[in-house]
Amino acid sequence: DSGVTQTPKHLITATGQRVTLRCSPRSGDLSVYWYQQSLDQGLQFLIQYYNGEERAKGNILERFSAQQFPDLHSELNLSSLELGDSALYFCASSTGGNSYNEQFFGPGTRLTVL
Amino acid sequence: DQQVKQNSPSLSVQEGRISILNCDYTNSMFDYFLWYKKYPAEGPTFLISISSIKDKNEDGRFTVFLNKSAKHLSLHIVPSQPGDSAVYFCAASAPVQGAQKLVFGQGTRLTINP
């Protein structure tokens, strides 16, 4: 158990819909990262928040947005969903603000868009 | 543009022997390299890292070697154990616009045979 929790575990929705994925980091960790893993693909970095502020941005689509709240939990919002958005979405946290710090990953949310 | 490549999708090794996982990269700005291990239905877990100023880092049965001139790194596991069977991701971090971004390879599935 990494100490990072993600909800929900599974999500099935239709094209055009909007969903919100939630992540609670390990106690004391200030950084939260979001990753997308599509079928047979590596992990694609989406975005990082550090202590409530956006720290780094990866290949995140404009239809996607995220935020980190004062209690440090984070939400990833995916809108106007397309079939290609079906993937595993991982959240990770770390103590420091650099991506080379050891990151602790949650179990992921599997999103299926029908 | 795959900046981090793991050219072997899978690798099979006998228990007790050495496992060697390889990773190539193209971006000379990468300054940290990491390996993560992933079991099914779980998030990745950090294994070992190396700074670009070093050429070797060892932690128990795991050793990472970095060859900057060849833009190549490898993970050695010796001796290999059945519990090492997992997907291994190579990752590299580079400073981009004041932040560090992590780029993952596509993973190599390691199977340790008894």
Side-chain angles (χ1 to χ4, degrees):
Chain A
D1 184 359
S2 66
V4 178
T5 59
Q6 289 187 248
T7 55
K9 266 191 159 178
H10 303 276
L11 200 47
I12 301 175
T13 188
T15 55
Q17 295 298 304
R18 172 190 165 96
V19 297
T20 297
L21 313 183
R22 184 188 166 101
C23 169
S24 292
R26 285 189 329 156
S27 177
D29 283 357
L30 298 179
S31 273
V32 169
Y33 309 79
W34 286 98
Y35 294 90
Q36 178 193 58
Q37 185 182 22
S38 302
L39 193 63
D40 293 331
Q41 296 289 312
L43 292 148
Q44 300 289 323
F45 167 66
L46 296 178
I47 197 164
Q48 177 199 357
Y49 279 82
Y50 179 75
N51 203 20
E53 296 199 1
E54 184 183 303
R55 180 74 171 238
K57 218 167 187 176
N59 298 325
I60 187 167
L61 300 172
E62 284 193 15
R63 301 183 285 109
F64 296 1
S65 65
Q67 54 184 326
Q68 187 179 29
F69 295 86
D71 67 352
L72 300 177
H73 91 271
S74 177
E75 291 180 357
L76 179 67
N77 300 296
L78 316 176
S79 61
S80 303
L81 285 168
E82 302 175 359
L83 295 177
D85 296 328
S86 294
L88 257 175
Y89 290 84
F90 287 103
C91 164
S93 72
S94 68
T95 307
N98 291 309
S99 65
Y100 55 73
N101 296 137
E102 179 179 354
Q103 295 183 28
F104 296 84
F105 282 78
T109 292
R110 181 171 294 281
L111 173 67
T112 303
V113 182
L114 301 174
Chain B
D1 177 24
Q2 192 70 23
Q3 296 185 63
V4 178
K5 288 184 183 178
Q6 294 176 257
N7 291 315
S8 299
S10 62
L11 176 67
S12 190
V13 173
Q14 197 167 1
E15 182 179 357
R17 299 286 185 105
I18 184 170
S19 295
I20 300 176
L21 297 104
N22 295 303
C23 179
D24 296 299
Y25 62 95
T26 56
N27 188 349
S28 57
M29 297 302 292
F30 286 139
D31 54 3
Y32 282 92
F33 302 88
L34 307 92
W35 286 93
Y36 280 82
K37 178 169 79 171
K38 186 182 181 303
Y39 293 119
E42 294 183 12
T45 55
F46 171 79
L47 205 51
I48 193 169
S49 65
I50 187 168
S51 162
S52 62
I53 63 173
K54 295 187 174 181
D55 54 20
K56 177 183 173 181
N57 188 24
E58 194 171 349
D59 183 2
R61 297 186 298 115
F62 302 93
T63 303
V64 56
F65 294 93
L66 176 63
N67 182 336
K68 279 188 295 186
S69 60
K71 293 193 174 69
H72 177 86
L73 71 155
S74 61
L75 174 68
H76 292 212
I77 306 173
V78 56
S80 301
Q81 298 174 355
D84 297 329
S85 294
V87 177
Y88 288 78
F89 290 99
C90 165
S93 179
V96 179
Q97 296 176 329
Q100 290 280 136
K101 293 188 182 178
L102 206 56
V103 179
F104 281 83
Q106 292 179 297
T108 296
R109 182 178 300 279
L110 175 65
T111 302
I112 305 301
N113 302 307

